[in-house]
Amino acid sequence: MTDAGKIHRDQNERRISALSSFHIEADRAGGGMSLIISGVIGISDFSDQFIHLLSHGGRIKITGKALFIRVYENNRVEIVGRIEGIVFSYGKN
């Protein structure tokens, strides 16, 4: 394999591995939604109206009403409640 081919393959593998750690899934749940997010490395703040999550790529802010964290394990979090907004911010801000 040429050096140029190897560099191109290495760049593609890095992009795939960087993207594959984050995944979000939303389902209807009684009176609201169930939101499952993988690739979460921490929870910086939370209340029943907002939850701020940390990931390697930035922060995820969920807003709504009657929010609660049902499960947080293995870099996955499940949030249940009336989700009204999801905001992504990049970097360490």
Side-chain angles (χ1 to χ4, degrees):
M1 177 179 286
T2 65
D3 287 336
K6 184 177 180 191
I7 291 170
H8 182 69
R9 189 188 75 202
D10 290 344
Q11 289 173 342
N12 285 339
E13 288 175 2
R14 270 184 282 190
R15 281 189 208 122
I16 291 169
S17 67
L19 294 175
S20 65
S21 66
F22 177 78
H23 181 81
I24 188 168
E25 181 178 325
D27 290 309
R28 283 187 158 267
M33 294 188 84
S34 169
L35 190 66
I36 300 172
I37 304 171
S38 60
V40 174
I41 59 171
I43 300 170
S44 65
D45 200 5
F46 66 93
S47 75
D48 64 340
Q49 296 179 345
F50 66 87
I51 299 174
H52 296 178
L53 306 173
L54 305 172
S55 72
H56 287 292
R59 296 176 183 258
I60 305 158
K61 300 173 186 176
I62 294 105
T63 57
K65 296 178 183 160
L67 299 177
F68 69 96
I69 300 168
R70 182 180 286 173
V71 177
Y72 176 47
E73 64 182 11
N74 298 327
N75 294 339
R76 293 179 62 148
V77 64
E78 180 179 6
I79 298 167
V80 178
R82 293 188 72 79
I83 297 169
E84 296 173 346
I86 302 171
V87 176
F88 300 95
S89 58
Y90 300 97
K92 300 205 182 232
N93 297 334

